[in-house]
Amino acid sequence: MTIITTCSFGHERLWPLLLTLRETGCKAKVVVISETMGKTSEHVRLGAEIVKVEPVVTGNFAWRINHRFSWVRRLLRKERCDDDVIIVDAYDVAFQLNPESMPFSGVNVAEEAGIVGDDKTNSDWVFRGFGAEGLRKVKDKKILCCGVLWGNRD
């Protein structure tokens, strides 16, 4: 299993993810896509590979997200990943169980309680990324957590 995460901030945002993975007994390979971080001895000890990428020079939220997902696609195509893959937001996740016990057929996301239009955080994200028209299209939809995606690499 390979866990891919992005971290645009300092390494302190990565610690909760790496530590909880180790506490659950997970032996997955962890690949961190980062614009700012270099590899430290702590990352080596916890088994994280750092892939340094060019910084995003625009403040456009949707473009920043697309930039990160394009790097995820590159990693998947270059076969640097195992068959089972989890893509997580480094500061959005602390695993409650060993992720190696999760089902890996198809593509999976977690459903959150509520709908987009009733949740300030999610509606703000959609508005910043896709504008008023984008928010209008999805405001009555259930919230899907894009902070965690998992499934088979294919």
Side-chain angles (χ1 to χ4, degrees), residues 2-126:
T2 301
I3 298 174
I4 302 173
T5 187
T6 59
C7 192
S8 297
F9 305 100
H11 68 273
E12 68 279 354
R13 297 283 186 117
L14 192 57
W15 288 120
L17 171 68
L18 295 176
L19 291 174
T20 58
L21 282 171
R22 297 308 165 234
E23 288 171 4
T24 66
C26 180
K27 304 291 187 214
K29 173 171 44 173
V30 178
V31 179
V32 181
I33 301 168
S34 178
E35 301 165 357
T36 58
M37 293 171 42
K39 194 166 197 171
T40 68
S41 60
E42 290 85 9
H43 295 119
V44 172
R45 184 172 56 83
L46 292 172
E49 173 188 348
I50 308 296
V51 176
K52 191 148 182 173
V53 299
E54 291 298 315
V56 176
V57 293
T58 179
N60 182 296
F61 186 72
W63 196 92
R64 292 178 68 83
I65 291 170
N66 287 333
H67 177 71
R68 290 185 184 140
F69 274 103
S70 72
W71 274 100
V72 169
R73 278 195 315 268
R74 289 179 198 176
L75 288 172
L76 293 173
R77 286 184 184 146
K78 289 185 176 184
E79 299 193 11
R80 290 177 76 171
C81 302
D82 299 317
D83 285 341
D84 293 336
V85 177
I86 302 175
I87 303 166
V88 300
D89 191 343
Y91 47 90
D92 192 29
V93 170
F95 285 102
Q96 307 281 325
L97 55 94
N98 187 331
E100 292 168 320
S101 66
M102 297 163 57
F104 279 91
S105 60
V107 175
N108 304 276
V109 296
E111 185 178 292
E112 296 181 14
I115 61 172
V116 173
D118 291 343
D119 184 90
K120 179 162 177 37
T121 301
N122 283 283
S123 59
D124 284 350
W125 285 341
V126 172

